[in-house]
Structures are given as structure tokens and as C-alpha cells.
Amino acid sequence: MAAHRKPKQRSLTGSTVRTARTTAVTLALAGAAGTTALEGTAQAEPTLTPAQIKSKIDKLYHDAEAATETYNGVQEKAERTKKSLDQLRDEAARRTERLNSARGSLGSLAAAQYRTGGIEPALQVALTSNPDQYLERAAIAGRAGDRQAVKVQGAQRQVAEIARLRGSAGQRFTELAEQQGELKKQKAEIQKKISGAEELLSRLTADDRARYAAQDGHGEAGGGDRASRGDRTEMPRGDVRAPNARASQAVSFAYSALGKPYVWGATGPSSFDCSGLTQAAWRSAGVALPRTTYTQINAGERVSRSQLAPGDLLFFYSGITHVGLYIGEGKMIHAPRPGAPVRIAPIDEMPLTGATRPA
């Protein structure tokens, strides 16, 4: 009977059960993780509609334009700093030349005194090659004769002024280096945003790209094909209707720029960005505007929409990141964005935040 008994099955120990459960949980988690990973991969690149792509492109171009105006402001400041640095260096060079001339005169006087019996102590101080020692010891110049004292004191003032100029030049040089670093940073930011917009444009079909090119570049369709293309047939006949001769000249310049390419940071004559165009237009009329949108808005008399006249500057968006030149009948000439040349467009296609009359 014992031989025919069914073998007794060994019961699982607690350790074995725990091991089995751990393995099952691990496999389940691994499977879930794999599923999640696959789902994440599938969602990493969502399919965008043409409208969504266009919206993203508009946002990138708008951000690039805001960065461009910041770049323009830093560039303007860097140019002023460089001009100041050059002036300081030139003045230091002129004063150094005068100091050398004064020292030459003192040297001639010293040689004469040597021939007649030696150099006085005050002249020895004046002729020292160490400027610091010279400044410290020059106080004894008063002990010299009247003629020597005047020459020594004049040389002393020259040395002190040269030291001041060189110190100021050193500060300007440091400022310029910081501004050039900021320009490099802003340039990289602009190029990154424009590259992103161009990459998104490449996803559109040829027809969608053509429709986008017909837009002004700020999300709304242009007011008519000819206006949106900046067609040169829009050139006015006869004198431009404007409040005065300078405004008329600014508008005429803007018309002559129709079709020229947008290039960020450009102020003409062959290409422009938005504030570069308005600056160049008014410069042709003898009026100097600042370089950026957020400074041009303060360059003149503020006017309301109902008071707009040709030549007025129109500013858009809450950050005042875009500007155009009003030409009448609800239209403006502006430089929209990369890939969109200077053109005529209705002023309502962007949010208007203010207007200024420069002259």
C-alpha cells in the first residue's frame, strides 16, 4: 500500500513564496514600464495641424523680433561706449604728447643748469621716470625758482590728468567688453528662434507655405495681395499727403524701401528691421530717431488713433516690440520679419499700443 501512495508534495516555504511574488511584481512593473515608454515615445512628437504650426511660427518670429530690439539697444549702447573710449584714448594721447613736450623743456633747462653748476632738486623730481614718485615728490617744486616751479606744476597736472583719463578709459573698456558679451548672447538667441521658425516652416506643404508667405507674418492675412506683397505699383503719385515736408519725406523714403528684405539689426540702405526702417525713413528727413522701438515711442508727440497722419510711428504689442510708418487710409509700411520684405499692410493686423509723431 505504501508503494502505491501518491508522493507527498513538498509545501512552499515562506522564502520561496516571497521570491515568486517578487519575480511576478518585477515582471509586471517591467511590462508597465515598457508600455509607458512606448506610449511616451508615441506622444513625444505630436502631429501638429497647419494652423498650430503657423501659430508657433508667429510666436517664434515675434520672440525673435523682441530679442532683436534688445540687441539693437545693447548695440547702440556699445557704440556710444566705444566712441567714448576712443575719445578718452585720443585725449590721453594728446596730453601725453604735451607732457613729453613739457618734460623736454624741463630737460633743456636742466642741461643749462648743469652747465652752470648742477640741477636743482625740484628739477630732479620733475625728470624722474616714475610718475608715482613724481607726484609724491613734486610738492617740493615750490622751492625752485618761479620759472621752474610753474613748469614743474604744469607737468604735475598733466600727469594727474593722464592718470584720470586712463582710469576712465579702463572703465569704458570693461563696459564695452560686457556689452559685446551681451550682444553675442542676444545674437545667439535671435538665430535660435529664427532657426526654429524656419524648421517649422519646412513642415508645411508648399501650398501652406505660399499662404503663410502671403501673410504679414504676425498671424493675420494681409489687406489685399498687392499690399501684402509690398508691390511697387503702390508708389504714390505726386507729393505724399502729410502734415509737413519732413513727414512727407519720411513716407516717400518708406515707399522707396518696399520690397527690400528684412534683416535683423539692419538700418539700410539695402535691408532693414522694423525700427531700422523707421529710423532710416526719418533720418532721410533730417530727424534723428533712437534705434529701438521702446525708445522711438518716446521720440516725439504722442497721438491718438483718431489723430493719425502719414509719417506717424505706430507701435504694436504690449512690449512695444514692433513699429511701422503710417501712410494713411488705415495702412502702414513696415519690415515684418525674416523672409517677409518691407511691405504695405493694414494697421489692424497687430495689436496697436501707441503712436508718435516725430516732427
Side-chain angles (χ1 to χ4, degrees):
M1 292 292 294
H4 297 284
R5 288 179 183 172
K6 194 174 183 180
K8 184 178 182 181
Q9 294 183 349
R10 298 174 60 188
S11 62
L12 297 175
T13 64
S15 175
T16 305
V17 171
R18 284 194 299 272
T19 301
R21 287 176 178 171
T22 300
T23 302
V25 170
T26 301
L27 291 172
L29 289 174
T35 302
T36 303
L38 290 173
E39 290 174 352
T41 302
Q43 295 175 0
E45 291 291 338
T47 301
L48 299 176
T49 65
Q52 290 172 325
I53 291 175
K54 291 174 184 177
S55 177
K56 286 180 175 290
I57 292 170
D58 287 338
K59 178 67 165 56
L60 284 168
Y61 277 137
H62 177 264
D63 291 348
E65 189 167 47
T68 295
E69 290 306 308
T70 301
Y71 175 92
N72 290 339
V74 177
Q75 185 179 50
E76 186 179 42
K77 188 182 297 183
E79 288 171 354
R80 290 196 301 266
T81 301
K82 187 178 184 304
K83 183 177 179 181
S84 175
L85 175 60
D86 290 341
Q87 290 173 342
L88 287 167
R89 285 172 169 170
D90 289 344
E91 181 63 19
R94 286 192 294 269
R95 289 185 178 271
T96 299
E97 185 176 353
R98 289 198 292 268
L99 175 61
N100 290 337
S101 177
R103 281 178 168 168
S105 176
L106 289 171
S108 298
L109 181 59
Q113 288 190 347
Y114 178 78
R115 289 192 296 271
T116 59
I119 303 176
E120 292 194 18
L123 292 178
Q124 295 178 23
V125 172
L127 293 173
T128 180
S129 61
N130 188 323
D132 293 333
Q133 290 181 5
Y134 173 79
L135 291 173
E136 293 172 1
R137 301 175 186 175
I140 66 173
R143 301 175 189 173
D146 291 343
R147 183 181 176 189
Q148 295 95 322
V150 170
K151 288 181 178 289
V152 170
Q153 289 170 357
Q156 176 184 354
R157 287 192 296 271
Q158 291 283 359
V159 170
E161 182 61 17
I162 290 169
R164 185 191 69 79
L165 289 169
R166 287 176 176 170
S168 297
Q171 293 176 354
R172 293 291 184 277
F173 182 81
T174 300
E175 291 173 12
L176 182 60
E178 292 174 352
Q179 290 160 2
Q180 288 173 336
E182 181 63 20
L183 283 173
K184 184 177 180 181
K185 176 182 175 183
Q186 289 295 328
K187 182 177 181 180
E189 182 69 14
I190 294 165
Q191 291 175 331
K192 177 181 177 182
K193 292 183 182 301
I194 292 176
S195 295
E198 290 173 346
E199 191 278 329
L200 285 172
L201 272 172
S202 69
R203 300 188 192 181
L204 295 174
T205 65
D207 288 343
D208 284 334
R209 282 197 297 273
R211 279 190 289 270
Y212 188 84
Q215 295 178 353
D216 184 47
H218 293 275
E220 299 292 340
D225 290 341
R226 288 199 309 167
S228 67
R229 287 198 309 270
D231 194 332
R232 290 181 179 274
T233 59
E234 291 283 334
M235 288 289 290
R237 297 180 182 274
D239 293 334
V240 175
R241 180 177 58 84
N244 53 60
R246 286 177 293 183
S248 177
Q249 172 57 33
V251 173
S252 293
F253 181 96
Y255 271 104
S256 71
L258 288 173
K260 293 186 177 181
Y262 177 104
V263 175
W264 64 268
T267 59
S270 57
S271 60
F272 302 90
D273 63 19
C274 69
S275 57
L277 174 63
T278 51
Q279 184 188 50
W282 274 99
R283 183 171 59 236
S284 74
V287 177
L289 293 182
R291 178 63 183 91
T292 65
T293 53
Y294 50 83
T295 51
Q296 287 183 7
I297 196 172
N298 296 316
E301 175 191 358
R302 295 290 185 94
V303 294
S304 66
R305 179 170 179 142
S306 62
Q307 297 172 318
L308 288 177
D312 291 347
L313 302 180
L314 306 172
F315 300 91
F316 301 91
Y317 300 103
S318 59
I320 314 175
T321 55
H322 190 73
V323 61
L325 190 79
Y326 188 64
I327 58 172
E329 299 180 353
K331 296 179 181 179
M332 66 177 171
I333 294 176
H334 72 146
R337 57 167 175 80
V342 176
R343 58 180 59 175
I344 295 172
I347 68 174
D348 288 328
E349 65 184 12
M350 290 175 283
L352 182 67
T353 58
T356 295
R357 184 167 299 159

